[in-house]
Amino acid sequence: MGNGRPTRAERDKSTAATVLAHPLRVRILEVLNQRDMSPVEFCREGFAPASMEVSHVAYHFRELAEYGALDVVEQNARRGSVEHVYRGRGRAYFSDLQWNELDQEERVRLSKTMVQGLMARIEGALMSDTFDERVDRHLTWIAMRLDEQGWSEMTTALGAAFSEVEQIRADAEARLDRDGEEGIPSTCGLLGFPSPLGAQRTPPPAE
């Protein structure tokens, strides 16, 4: 009989949905992709349910670290025990040169981590009802069948869009710092990826 914990091979095959199956893990990733924190600090600052023991929260931190979504960045001695400080692995941009220097296994691992971070942001916004609080929020996706030219044109367009959004972010932060304003917490995600064969087939419309 196993102990119920996923093996390393099983973790390597897991999806973002599997990793984030517990809502607390969504909250942990959402917070720790913005700042370093220990389970004790996470509880003390009110991010965990008041009824939840620190040991239970620490368990989810460890599981996320096992799945590769968190890193331990500090280990501090605290009254005979060790307090682990974690950091979210939410980096979501690599240049083409940086990406091409990675092997396939590393690219897959990093892609999973990046998707986990984005999913945590989306789930957090949905659960807190901020996702649809503005009527001008944007949510679109489309399934396509592309040739090599079309694929190249799509990825080029996405790269250009990212550069424009990054400039918008930098300009907005400069204005907010100048004017002393709080700003609108926001997330922008851009994805373009090959889909499994047959994934674009849709069922016939219901009669």
Side-chain angles (χ1 to χ4, degrees):
M1 292 291 291
N3 60 7
R5 292 173 59 84
T7 64
R8 180 170 296 277
E10 289 170 338
R11 289 197 301 270
D12 289 344
K13 294 179 181 178
S14 64
T15 65
T18 301
V19 175
L20 301 174
H22 194 289
L24 181 64
R25 295 184 185 180
V26 173
R27 187 61 169 148
I28 290 171
L29 270 189
E30 185 182 12
V31 173
L32 270 77
N33 279 329
Q34 301 179 61
R35 53 177 288 201
D36 301 347
M37 193 174 291
S38 71
V40 172
E41 292 172 317
F42 189 85
C43 294
R44 187 168 57 227
E45 297 193 21
F47 293 114
S51 60
M52 186 173 289
E53 297 289 338
V54 174
S55 60
H56 192 183
V57 175
Y59 162 77
H60 287 293
F61 270 69
R62 290 193 301 271
E63 286 292 289
L64 286 169
E66 283 288 308
Y67 278 110
L70 297 178
D71 282 329
V72 176
V73 293
E74 290 182 31
Q75 298 186 58
N76 303 316
R78 293 285 188 269
R79 298 180 182 179
S81 64
V82 177
E83 179 184 40
H84 294 86
V85 179
Y86 294 81
R87 174 177 299 164
R89 304 184 68 178
R91 183 183 183 188
Y93 174 72
F94 291 81
S95 69
D96 288 344
L97 178 60
Q98 292 170 324
W99 196 247
N100 288 333
E101 290 176 344
L102 302 174
D103 60 32
Q104 174 71 7
E105 183 178 350
E106 184 71 356
R107 289 199 299 269
V108 169
R109 185 183 64 78
L110 287 170
S111 291
K112 285 170 53 180
T113 301
M114 292 158 67
V115 170
Q116 288 163 3
L118 178 58
M119 288 291 291
R121 300 281 293 185
I122 294 170
E123 290 286 343
L126 288 169
M127 290 191 297
S128 62
D129 293 329
T130 62
F131 193 94
D132 287 299
E133 71 177 8
R134 297 179 65 100
V135 296
D136 57 350
R137 73 100 175 96
H138 186 88
L139 173 62
T140 52
W141 68 272
I142 183 171
M144 300 180 289
R145 189 165 64 95
L146 301 174
D147 59 5
E148 285 295 332
Q149 179 180 332
W151 173 265
S152 178
E153 290 172 347
M154 180 193 71
T155 56
T156 299
L158 289 173
F162 174 81
S163 296
E164 185 174 351
V165 170
E166 176 61 16
Q167 186 61 55
I168 290 170
R169 180 199 62 78
D171 293 344
E173 287 190 355
R175 290 192 300 270
L176 291 169
D177 290 343
R178 180 195 65 204
D179 300 336
E181 297 180 4
E182 184 72 17
I184 305 166
S186 309
T187 301
C188 178
L190 300 170
L191 296 88
F193 52 91
S195 300
L197 184 65
Q200 298 179 52
R201 296 174 185 168
T202 57
E207 295 182 357

